[in-house]
């Protein structure tokens, strides 16, 4: 984009336009495994009371029959979206009886690979395709990797702010092209700076031993393909912030070796469609049918667009019969989906309201910062920073690569980014009198320099101080976070009174 942070910020100082910065639409999607009180994966069917998985817009499943997915609609405020996810969580907990919701992104105790239940769907064309797609995922990546869960943050800017940007910086373009352009610019900057979110909010530093086959397989791949990388992966358990988003987690970027730069909708669409139309020799060897049953949708690099994993997606509301890519091509970008967040076990629904506000101002920063097109070289550095922070983020002297400027410490680069975030928070305060963004940015700024405040470090210290293993820790918080357990706590207080 041909703008800079200072120029665009100043444009919001006139006529109290800074209030446009806080307007938007917010939604959440949360995946969570159902478990038994022992911490074992629950192998019971998805509760029938929630109806057809393809028809329920609020409660469905993700990859597994045991992996429940809770979805809110879009709301005009963060508080409404948060409250709705909390309400859906309560609704689920009231139905699953003696089962609990696993509070961590890395899976609970998993059974043997063959015993992990793939989500089942109705015997319709759509239902059969959804089930076959999941069979294909299991075949290509293994079921255990698919059992990782997370929380997605959906956000769109208010129309008033988009109108203002178009008036100031549209330069004669048609509005839809401009809107697409600024969202793709934002996505590129999100890729550049996402390491900061991994550092601040990563909450998956450990895994259960039943997940180890995935770790072992990845280590062997590294040893066979990149001997110089072996040292890089040693001792990751000591410093990891988010195994979920590391190469030990759910990411097929290395497997496909496809670079998605988000330089334009046209480029994005062409690459995605090419991957969906190009046969993969490895998947062709697996075949499409086995013993008379379809085991994957096709033999292509991607069975369908959902298979392409990215830490951010640009989306458009779909009309029945469309794919997400169809909708994007027809009507352009409508909202942003942030997919990089771990479930935080210390929060009942997996994140807190402050984190949602921080993400809002972080996305504003990504929008306002200059965003040149990405290329292969920069993309490689971006991915390196991502995995360095995911595996070594709590290492005090961690050094990242600042693209054209060479090596830089994580904390000094973070300090620079926080300078921009503070400027935005002050602009909002001047325009609206709302100081909550200032308070939240300052709080996370302290976390930048004090690793003891990071969720990943708190998990590490708490497990160590209580002499707990991964399963004991997760099960304890599954009970603590349960709505039914909260009611029992309050009932106990009432009795004492």
């Amino acid at each position: 984009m041909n703008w800079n942070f200072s120029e665009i910020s100043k444009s919001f100082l006139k006529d109290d336009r800074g209030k446009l910065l806080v307007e938007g639409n917010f939604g959440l999607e949360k995946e969570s495994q159902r478990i038994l009180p022992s911490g074992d994966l629950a192998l019971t069917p998805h509760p029938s009371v929630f109806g057809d998985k393809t028809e329920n817009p609020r409660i469905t499943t993700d990859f597994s029959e045991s992996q429940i997915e809770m979805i809110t609609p879009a709301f005009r405020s963060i508080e409404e979206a948060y409250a709705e996810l909390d309400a859906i969580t309560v609704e689920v907990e009231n139905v699953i009886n003696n089962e609990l919701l696993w509070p961590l992104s890395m899976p609970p105790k998993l059974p043997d690979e063959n015993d992990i239940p793939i989500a089942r769907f109705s015997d319709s064309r759509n239902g059969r395709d959804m089930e076959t797609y999941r069979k294909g995922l299991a075949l290509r990546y293994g079921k255990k990797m698919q059992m990782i869960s997370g929380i997605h943050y959906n956000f769109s800017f208010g129309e008033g702010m988009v109108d203002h940007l178009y008036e100031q910086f549209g330069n004669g373009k048609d509005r839809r092209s401009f809107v697409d352009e600024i969202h793709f610019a934002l996505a590129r900057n999100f890729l550049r700076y996402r390491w900061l979110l991994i550092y601040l909010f990563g909450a998956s530093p450990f895994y259960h031993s039943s997940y180890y086959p995935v770790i072992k397989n990845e280590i062997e791949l590294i040893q066979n393909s990149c001997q110089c990388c072996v040292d890089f992966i040693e001792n990751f358990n000591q410093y990891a912030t988010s195994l979920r988003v590391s190469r030990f987690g759910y990411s097929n970027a290395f497997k496909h070796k496809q670079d998605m730069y988000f330089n334009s909708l046209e480029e994005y669409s062409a690459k995605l469609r090419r991957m969906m139309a190009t046969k993969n020799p490895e998947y062709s060897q697996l075949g499409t049918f086995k013993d008379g049953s379809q085991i994957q949708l096709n033999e292509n690099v991607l069975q369908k667009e959902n298979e392409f994993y990215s830490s951010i997606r640009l989306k458009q509301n779909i009309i029945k019969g469309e794919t997400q890519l169809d909708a994007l091509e027809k009507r352009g970008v409508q909202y942003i989906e942030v997919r990089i967040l771990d479930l935080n076990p210390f929060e009942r629904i997996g994140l807190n309201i402050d984190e949602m506000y921080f993400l809002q101002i972080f996305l504003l920063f990504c929008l306002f910062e200059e965003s040149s097109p990405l290329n292969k070289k920069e993309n490689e550095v971006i991915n390196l920073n991502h995995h360095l922070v995911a595996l070594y983020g709590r290492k005090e002297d961690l050094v990242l690569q600042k693209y054209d400027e060479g090596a830089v410490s994580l904390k000094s680069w973070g300090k620079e980014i926080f300078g921009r975030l503070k400027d935005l928070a002050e602009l909002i305060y001047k325009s609206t009198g709302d100081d909550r963004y200032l308070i939240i940015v300052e709080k996370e700024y302290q976390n930048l320099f004090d690793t003891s405040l990071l969720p990943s470090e708190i998990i590490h210290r708490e497990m160590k101080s209580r002499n707990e293993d991964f399963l004991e820790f997760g099960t304890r918080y599954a009970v603590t976070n349960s709505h039914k357990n909260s009611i029992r706590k309050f009932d106990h207080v009432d009795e004492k009174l």
Side-chain angles (χ1 to χ4, degrees), residues 137-143 145-146 252 255-256 283 307:
L137 294 177
L139 188 69
R140 295 173 176 210
Y141 312 108
K143 291 181 180 179
M145 183 182 290
Q146 301 298 315
N252 57 10
K255 199 174 184 75
H256 291 140
Y283 302 154
E307 191 173 340

Side-chain angles (χ1 to χ4, degrees), residues 116 154 325 343 373 434:
I116 296 174
N154 297 324
L325 189 53
L343 297 176
D434 187 349

Side-chain angles (χ1 to χ4, degrees), residues 252-266:
N252 57 10
F254 291 93
K255 199 174 184 75
H256 291 140
K257 302 187 187 306
Q258 289 284 343
D259 297 324
M260 188 65 78
Y261 302 144
F262 289 86
N263 285 332
S264 68
L265 175 55
E266 292 74 22

Side-chain angles (χ1 to χ4, degrees), residues 28 58 72 75 77-90 348-349 353 356:
L28 294 167
R58 299 170 70 250
T72 78
F75 291 96
S77 75
I78 283 172
E79 286 77 10
E80 288 175 294
Y82 182 92
E84 178 66 9
L85 183 57
D86 189 48
I88 297 173
T89 303
V90 171
R348 217 187 79 75
I349 67 167
I353 286 177
M356 294 177 71

Side-chain angles (χ1 to χ4, degrees), residues 371-438:
S371 181
S372 58
L374 280 178
N375 55 40
K376 183 177 179 62
K377 181 179 179 181
E378 185 179 4
N379 195 56
E380 288 174 352
V381 176
I382 285 172
N383 289 330
L384 174 63
N385 288 335
H386 172 119
H387 289 285
L388 279 170
V389 176
L391 294 176
Y392 289 96
R394 290 183 288 121
K395 200 169 187 291
E396 283 297 328
D397 57 351
L398 183 63
V399 172
L400 305 180
Q401 294 297 315
K402 198 176 178 183
Y403 317 126
D404 294 337
E405 299 178 38
V408 61
S409 75
L410 178 151
K411 291 180 179 178
S412 63
W413 194 3
K415 183 178 180 180
E416 180 183 322
I417 295 170
F418 267 98
R420 295 278 206 265
L421 297 173
K422 287 179 180 179
D423 288 344
L424 276 171
E426 287 172 359
L427 176 58
I428 291 170
Y429 175 64
K430 288 176 184 176
S431 302
T432 66
D434 187 349
D435 65 352
R436 110 183 86 188
Y437 293 91
L438 278 170

Side-chain angles (χ1 to χ4, degrees), residues 2 67 88 241 261 288 310 316 334 374 393-394 400 403 405 439 487:
N2 295 320
Q67 188 177 32
I88 297 173
T241 59
Y261 302 144
T288 308
S310 177
Q316 169 63 249
Q334 183 174 19
L374 280 178
R394 290 183 288 121
L400 305 180
Y403 317 126
E405 299 178 38
I439 294 169
I487 291 175

Side-chain angles (χ1 to χ4, degrees), residues 3-5 8-9 21 155 157 161 185-187 189-197 358-371 413-425 428 441:
W3 60 30
N4 60 59
F5 189 91
I8 195 168
S9 297
L21 297 171
F155 173 73
F157 297 108
M161 196 191 82
L186 178 154
N189 278 339
F190 185 90
L191 298 179
R192 289 177 171 113
Y193 303 113
R194 69 185 188 261
W195 62 263
L196 183 61
L197 299 181
F358 186 85
L359 285 166
Q360 182 188 8
I361 203 163
F362 183 82
L363 291 172
L364 281 169
F365 156 72
C366 290
L367 177 65
F368 291 176
E369 194 74 358
E370 184 179 351
S371 181
W413 194 3
K415 183 178 180 180
E416 180 183 322
I417 295 170
F418 267 98
R420 295 278 206 265
L421 297 173
K422 287 179 180 179
D423 288 344
L424 276 171
I428 291 170
V441 168

